[in-house]
Amino acid sequence: MIIAAGGGRRLGGPEALLHQGETPLVNQMIETMTEAGCEQIVLVLGAAAEQVQEAADLSQVTVVINKAWGTGVGSSIRAGLAAMDDGEIEAVVVIPVDMPGLTAAAIRRVAALPYPDVLVCATYDGLRGYPMLFGRRHWSGIATLASADVGARPYLLAHKDQIVDIACDSAADGSRVDTPELMALYGLTVPPQRVGV
């Protein structure tokens, strides 16, 4: 699951519209997930969803539109989990779209044990981050507790003894692009948005 619904207030435009050169960052993240071996990819859009669908190649993913994206990442996690209707899926990897330094190697490391009862978090310098792996048995609890801008954190805190931490420092850059300075560092831009689309 790729969460790409935020409005990017601090960035000057929605995260899902970020480009690295000519390539939409959302396509880069889809490619990374595919390379990591994810069989089904759900992309949760919200802000500027129509523009993202025009700008990016989304033919290989299931697109979910979160109309409540303004309430925070919790609603996007709920929308994405609700779209996982294939009973064969035992676990889901969750990443945000604003991690240009994420690698397929880090995703594979976190997703190595895709069982229904797992909770796995990548760590960078000992701090938890993405990607995360949620086993199916946890989905309803995560959806119930996912709130506003903290997403799955309330559920993870309530089940901290069950979380497996996987160090990904050597496999990826865990930074999330949430400031104009980080955008510049990664060479990211938000294309001018067309009015009235």
Side-chain angles (χ1 to χ4, degrees):
M1 184 196 309
I2 303 171
I3 305 290
R9 280 191 312 268
R10 289 174 290 187
L11 302 179
E15 292 100 332
L17 287 176
L18 288 170
H19 276 58
Q20 202 160 39
E22 294 298 308
T23 308
L25 187 57
V26 69
N27 280 130
Q28 197 175 305
M29 301 311 279
I30 290 168
E31 197 174 302
T32 301
M33 292 282 266
T34 303
E35 187 187 333
C38 297
E39 294 170 19
Q40 177 188 344
I41 300 172
V42 169
L43 173 68
V44 183
L45 297 177
E50 286 182 21
Q51 289 158 286
V52 177
Q53 288 173 300
E54 287 175 16
D57 176 8
L58 306 180
S59 57
Q60 304 300 311
V61 302
T62 300
V63 176
V64 175
I65 308 295
N66 174 18
K67 290 185 172 24
W69 64 267
T71 63
V73 71
S75 61
S76 293
I77 290 173
R78 277 194 297 278
L81 290 175
M84 302 273 179
D85 52 8
D86 181 347
E88 299 295 305
I89 300 172
E90 296 200 322
V92 59
V93 176
V94 179
I95 64 168
V97 74
D98 59 2
M99 281 183 73
L102 188 63
T103 63
I107 294 170
R108 280 193 296 267
R109 196 175 281 190
V110 168
L113 301 171
Y115 300 126
D117 54 353
V118 300
L119 283 174
V120 183
C121 290
T123 64
Y124 305 91
D125 292 327
L127 299 175
R128 287 183 178 140
Y130 292 94
M132 295 180 182
L133 181 70
F134 301 151
R136 186 177 203 96
R137 287 186 194 140
H138 297 283
W139 294 0
S140 63
I142 289 169
T144 300
L145 292 181
S147 63
D149 277 334
V150 294
R153 194 177 306 157
Y155 187 86
L156 295 175
L157 284 171
H159 297 80
K160 58 180 182 286
D161 295 339
Q162 297 176 43
I163 298 173
V164 177
D165 290 323
I166 303 288
C168 288
D169 308 75
S170 63
D173 176 350
S175 303
R176 294 189 62 186
V177 176
D178 56 5
T179 64
E181 292 75 21
L182 279 172
M183 276 179 64
L185 185 66
Y186 286 99
L188 297 170
T189 57
V190 178
Q193 293 170 54
R194 287 171 292 167
V195 178
V197 177

